[in-house]
Amino acid sequence: MKKMIVVNYWLMLIAWCLFLNGSGFMGEVLIVMGILFMLGAGRPDYVKIAFSSLICFFVMTIVLKGSRIPYFYPELSIHLLLVSVNCFTVNEYLKRLDSRFIMPVIVVILLSVMFISGLIIIIPSEYYSIIGKSSLFLLEAFIFLPYLYSSVMCVVSKPH
């Protein structure tokens, strides 16, 4: 199960790279493959996945509509819906694992956020004149925070 989660995270990383580089459809195909891959591995709670995904998608869509990102990525809402479903499908399996596996995942996500945030801060603003630094930080949040949030909730909700 651990290998499946790691493979799914790699699929998501590749899917985001494809999406951000103009191959959104291929990225969405990878996300759907990841969802099907995870759903075929056990008996997840479909109602919980659907409900949690819709709440996450709703929150991200509200935040998205208040930014400039839809001008550059008009299909982002579809991508975010698939990301939400994938995130909470993975969450169903993370809950079954020991916190010793989840903590390194959280550390890797946090290090990735810090690295990309550092790059956004260091690179001069004139390179971001069209989209803006705040939109880049928001895009970074869309990429990493759903998975970070669900992983942290798995660790916090486990009895010690």
Side-chain angles (χ1 to χ4, degrees), residues 8 14 18 35 43-44 46 49 53 57 62 78 84 93-94 97 110 127 137 139:
N8 192 2
I14 295 167
L18 287 169
I35 293 168
R43 295 188 177 118
Y46 295 107
I49 291 172
S53 298
F57 173 68
I62 289 173
I78 296 166
S84 298
Y93 294 98
L94 280 178
L97 295 175
L110 283 173
Y127 294 113
F137 279 117
L139 194 55

Side-chain angles (χ1 to χ4, degrees), residues 24-135:
F25 179 74
M26 288 303 299
E28 291 163 2
V29 167
L30 281 181
I31 296 172
V32 170
M33 285 174 50
I35 293 168
L36 295 175
F37 181 61
M38 295 301 291
L39 289 176
R43 295 188 177 118
D45 185 357
Y46 295 107
V47 173
K48 187 174 183 180
I49 291 172
F51 185 72
S52 301
S53 298
L54 287 175
I55 290 174
C56 181
F57 173 68
F58 181 70
V59 170
M60 288 193 296
T61 301
I62 289 173
V63 173
L64 177 66
K65 296 299 179 190
S67 72
R68 295 186 213 165
I69 296 173
Y71 296 118
F72 303 99
Y73 299 106
E75 305 88 25
L76 185 59
S77 58
I78 296 166
H79 197 78
L80 289 178
L81 176 63
L82 293 173
V83 165
S84 298
V85 173
N86 185 280
C87 178
F88 287 99
T89 303
V90 170
N91 189 32
E92 283 292 306
Y93 294 98
L94 280 178
K95 291 187 308 188
R96 300 177 191 169
L97 295 175
D98 188 18
S99 294
R100 291 180 301 207
F101 173 75
I102 301 172
M103 288 307 292
V105 170
I106 292 171
V107 170
V108 168
I109 294 172
L110 283 173
L111 289 174
S112 300
V113 168
M114 290 186 327
F115 176 73
I116 293 176
S117 295
L119 287 177
I120 293 171
I121 291 169
I122 291 172
I123 297 175
S125 295
E126 58 264 8
Y127 294 113
Y128 305 131
S129 61
I130 296 175
I131 194 167
K133 280 190 178 189
S134 61
S135 293

